[in-house]
Amino acid sequence: DMTQMAKVTAWRDTGDIVAIEGEAAGSYLAVADKKTGKSRPALERFRRTFIWIKGGYVLVLDDVRSTQPAELSWLMQGGDVKALNETEGRYKLIKGAAGCEFQVVADVPFSAAVADSTADNRKQPLGWKQLQAKASGVRSARFVSVYDLWNRGSLSVSFAADGENKWTVSVKGNGVND
């Protein structure tokens, strides 16, 4: 039932700040492949929030919860993905001459690697790269990422969980202290 796969849960436009939140756990049902023997549990929550700060940055909050311990993967893909500082979770999306630096952090340990993307167009690979951040053996993970679309430089994001459904997120950088 496509109406149960994902939905917008809230949005707000204040002029200089636009936020939209959605829930997509219905797109990640339990899967068991009889041929390969591989399986994955269903997600009970995949809440994603986009926050656009005019002339500043884009912030993405992902709250992912599984019905049982699993490998939870956070993916970002584009024409190319370059590691800038893996320890700090800093990368750059590149498409031709354009680029966008971003940082991703999480409330659980994760490993990250850049690999070939499986994205295709009518079974023809797009030739993209994909950042794969994976947290293994966990029931939940919160990922926060900030995107420097306006090339302000030196944007950093950090956060602390203030309970099961509350976060305090900080974005700092060149002219930014939010």
Side-chain angles (χ1 to χ4, degrees):
D1 181 352
M2 300 274 294
T3 66
Q4 300 303 308
M5 291 179 68
K7 60 187 170 226
V8 172
T9 57
W11 68 274
R12 176 119 190 224
D13 181 349
T14 66
D16 288 342
I17 300 172
V18 178
I20 187 164
E21 177 188 81
E23 174 58 52
S27 296
Y28 298 91
L29 304 176
V31 173
D33 187 324
K34 292 179 182 178
K35 284 184 179 179
T36 65
K38 292 183 179 182
S39 65
R40 73 160 195 244
L43 291 185
E44 63 186 20
R45 181 181 179 104
F46 178 15
R47 188 69 49 100
R48 174 169 275 176
T49 305
F50 285 93
I51 304 170
W52 177 79
I53 309 297
K54 183 178 181 181
Y57 54 88
V58 171
L59 185 66
V60 181
L61 313 174
D62 289 313
D63 184 359
V64 184
R65 300 178 195 173
S66 177
T67 56
Q68 60 189 6
E71 178 180 88
L72 300 180
S73 297
W74 182 92
L75 308 173
M76 174 56 61
Q77 64 188 12
D80 199 4
V81 180
K82 296 290 183 197
L84 301 177
N85 184 326
E86 292 176 280
T87 304
E88 293 180 5
R90 296 184 176 281
Y91 298 87
K92 185 172 187 175
L93 288 168
I94 301 167
K95 179 73 172 169
C100 176
E101 292 186 12
F102 69 98
Q103 181 186 25
V104 59
V105 297
D107 66 344
V108 294
F110 66 90
S111 62
V114 176
D116 290 334
S117 170
T118 58
D120 67 45
N121 178 16
R122 298 183 180 156
K123 300 187 181 184
Q124 294 297 315
L126 295 176
W128 292 357
K129 293 293 182 181
Q130 184 178 72
L131 173 63
Q132 302 170 347
K134 297 179 181 183
S136 297
V138 297
R139 278 206 61 222
S140 67
R142 292 186 243 196
F143 291 92
V144 176
S145 51
V146 65
Y147 302 84
D148 190 6
L149 298 176
W150 290 270
N151 297 314
R152 298 180 70 88
S154 304
L155 287 181
S156 292
V157 65
S158 61
F159 77 102
D162 298 331
E164 186 177 357
N165 295 314
K166 293 182 182 180
W167 319 14
T168 298
V169 179
S170 298
V171 178
K172 298 185 186 290
N174 189 11
V176 174
N177 186 16
D178 296 341

